[in-house]
Amino acid sequence: MTDVSLGMPQPPAPDYPAQVRARLEADARQIIGRYPESRSALLPLLHLVQSEEGHVTRTGMRFCAELLDLTTAEVTAVATFYTMYRRKPSGDYQVGVCTNTLCAVMGGDAIFDGLKEHLGVGNGETTGDGKVTLEHIECNAACDFAPVVMVNWEFFDNQTPESARRLVDDLRAGRPVEPTRGAPLCTFRETARILAGFPDERPGAVAATGGAGPATLVGLQLARGEAPQPRVVHPRGAAAQDEPPGEHPGSDARPSPGRHPATRPPGTRHDAQETSASDPAHPAGPVSEEGE
């Protein structure tokens, strides 16, 4: 018969040191004050305690429960439901590789397998230097830039196994890394504080932005009555030819008065913007809301 030991119950979680608790409580009261019901503040409070230690500890969950008049079981149920909350120590940079359908077939699986071998870690594991935690993640809602890698929720588009290896090597070496679009990169703890609802005070961070790619904007253009420039994809080996605007098979859409179709040189995929982590052979960059 197998010996099964249930072990001893865990003692209550220790409290934060007095100075730390006073600082966190001041921030927490500010967060709670934004909601008509205090328990609605649980998600940002979990980000707040995560910003303190880099993951949600038992102490952090006790802190949230006490301030919101909840049980630790209620807090634990939420903290374990959402994958954005880490339950164990993790790296300064959370490197997530999208392995959902489109990114996977475009190379996401190869990127993830290559990074596991390159870093010597598995899914959800952290490198020995504490810099990088690797994980596979679901859709990033950026399919027109597939395959996509995210670092602390910032986009690195059109990646390849080679560019992804350069990216993690730069992160571990402390070299500057620029996302393809969006705000400048910061550490996971800094990101958690921003997600808790506190302003990003870094110069230029708020102004930084990024847009959807042309493939995403086609639906918007059609909804506005615009006629995006059509592209016909022919079987492999056949010469691809762009048809004149307005002659796409099955469509009689025409530009509305005063509007113009999205202009894009034939054969281009995105407006190019190289970064230290983009694959030069597959550049990507932000476009305006109109795709221009």
Side-chain angles (χ1 to χ4, degrees):
M1 179 179 294
T2 303
D3 180 22
V4 178
S5 176
L6 298 179
M8 294 295 293
Q10 286 186 309
D15 199 358
Y16 287 117
Q19 185 177 1
V20 174
R21 182 176 177 103
R23 172 169 48 80
L24 287 177
E25 190 165 340
D27 289 339
R29 296 296 180 193
Q30 182 178 338
I31 294 172
I32 295 170
R34 301 169 185 163
Y35 298 90
E37 297 290 339
S38 63
R39 67 182 299 140
S40 300
L42 178 55
L43 295 182
L45 278 190
L46 286 169
H47 283 300
L48 176 66
V49 298
Q50 183 159 254
S51 72
E52 182 65 27
E53 298 178 87
H55 66 293
V56 177
T57 63
R58 293 175 59 238
T59 296
M61 288 190 284
R62 171 186 168 181
F63 173 83
C64 294
E66 290 176 353
L67 265 66
L68 299 177
D69 195 24
L70 300 173
T71 66
T72 54
E74 289 174 308
V75 175
T76 301
V78 174
T80 56
F81 181 82
Y82 293 103
T83 58
M84 68 182 75
Y85 302 121
R86 310 305 184 193
R87 296 297 310 285
K88 61 182 181 181
S90 55
D92 292 333
Y93 300 100
Q94 309 283 317
V95 175
V97 181
C98 182
T99 55
N100 215 329
T101 307
L102 184 57
C103 277
V105 300
M106 294 292 287
D109 285 342
I111 291 173
F112 185 59
D113 291 340
L115 288 182
K116 285 194 294 185
E117 181 179 357
H118 183 65
L119 295 173
V121 298
N123 182 46
E125 296 179 353
T126 303
T127 54
D129 57 9
K131 293 292 186 180
V132 170
T133 296
L134 179 67
E135 63 175 347
H136 77 83
I137 52 180
E138 295 300 325
C139 183
N140 292 313
C143 300
D144 49 337
F145 294 110
V148 175
V149 173
M150 296 195 85
V151 180
N152 295 347
W153 314 122
E154 300 295 345
F155 286 102
F156 292 82
D157 302 317
N158 297 104
Q159 293 295 293
T160 65
E162 294 75 20
S163 66
R165 285 196 295 270
R166 291 196 300 269
L167 169 60
V168 296
D169 287 346
D170 286 344
L171 292 172
R172 299 182 72 184
R175 291 187 286 267
V177 171
E178 180 185 354
T180 311
R181 51 204 164 94
L185 195 63
C186 58
T187 67
F188 182 63
R189 294 191 187 194
E190 292 169 330
T191 301
R193 183 169 176 83
I194 295 169
L195 291 175
F198 293 95
D200 188 344
E201 298 178 348
R202 295 173 298 157
V206 176
T209 186
T216 302
L217 294 174
V218 167
L220 176 62
Q221 293 163 352
L222 291 174
R224 290 175 172 175
E226 302 169 1
Q229 181 176 343
R231 294 182 63 193
V232 178
V233 180
H234 291 262
R236 291 183 180 180
Q241 296 179 352
D242 285 335
E243 298 179 355
E247 298 184 9
H248 192 282
S251 172
D252 59 355
R254 296 292 187 275
S256 299
R259 287 180 174 169
H260 303 280
T263 57
R264 181 179 57 185
T268 60
R269 189 178 183 190
H270 305 294
D271 294 346
Q273 173 183 324
E274 289 193 22
T275 71
S276 61
S278 297
D279 181 0
H282 301 81
V287 297
S288 71
E289 182 182 359
E290 298 295 331
E292 299 176 348

